[in-house]
């Protein structure tokens, strides 16, 4: 099942607070992705850009830019 994202906020220590349309909010730790998906290691050098995360159009994921995003599959 896919959950639509209503809002996302970047927190300290590379965590995300993701609020879903159903009213549930979850905290996701992005740090493990630095090793699993090296593209996310970009944030080690550009921490300020981590805070630029937004909800994708329609709530189908979250995005930072064209290369860094989480699609709906990340929130099953």
């Amino acid at each position: 099942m896919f959950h639509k994202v209503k809002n996302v906020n970047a927190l300290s220590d590379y965590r995300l607070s993701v609020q879903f349309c159903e009213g549930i909010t979850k905290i996701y730790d992005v740090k493990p992705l630095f090793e699993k998906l090296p593209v996310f290691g970009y944030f080690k050098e550009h921490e300020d850009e981590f805070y630029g995360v937004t909800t994708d159009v329609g709530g189908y994921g979250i995005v930072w830019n064209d290369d860094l995003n989480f699609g709906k599959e990340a929130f099953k």
Side-chain angles (χ1 to χ4, degrees):
M1 173 181 219
F2 151 68
H3 302 281
K4 286 182 99 173
V5 177
K6 181 176 181 180
N7 193 23
V8 61
N9 291 301
L11 305 173
S12 63
D13 201 28
Y14 299 106
R15 294 173 300 136
L16 297 172
S17 173
V18 181
Q19 180 184 23
F20 296 95
C21 289
E22 298 89 355
I24 297 169
T25 300
K26 292 189 176 187
I27 305 297
Y28 292 92
D29 185 357
V30 178
K31 290 186 306 292
L33 296 178
F34 294 172
E35 301 300 322
K36 291 180 183 177
L37 301 170
V39 69
F40 282 92
Y42 173 83
F43 291 128
K44 289 182 189 178
E45 301 294 324
H46 304 92
E47 182 179 357
D48 55 319
E49 291 187 35
F50 180 75
Y51 292 93
V53 66
T54 62
T55 303
D56 193 10
V57 176
Y60 295 102
I62 60 173
V63 298
W64 287 272
N65 60 42
D66 289 341
D67 296 321
L68 295 164
N69 60 70
F70 287 136
K72 63 183 179 182
E73 298 81 17
F75 304 113
K76 288 184 180 180

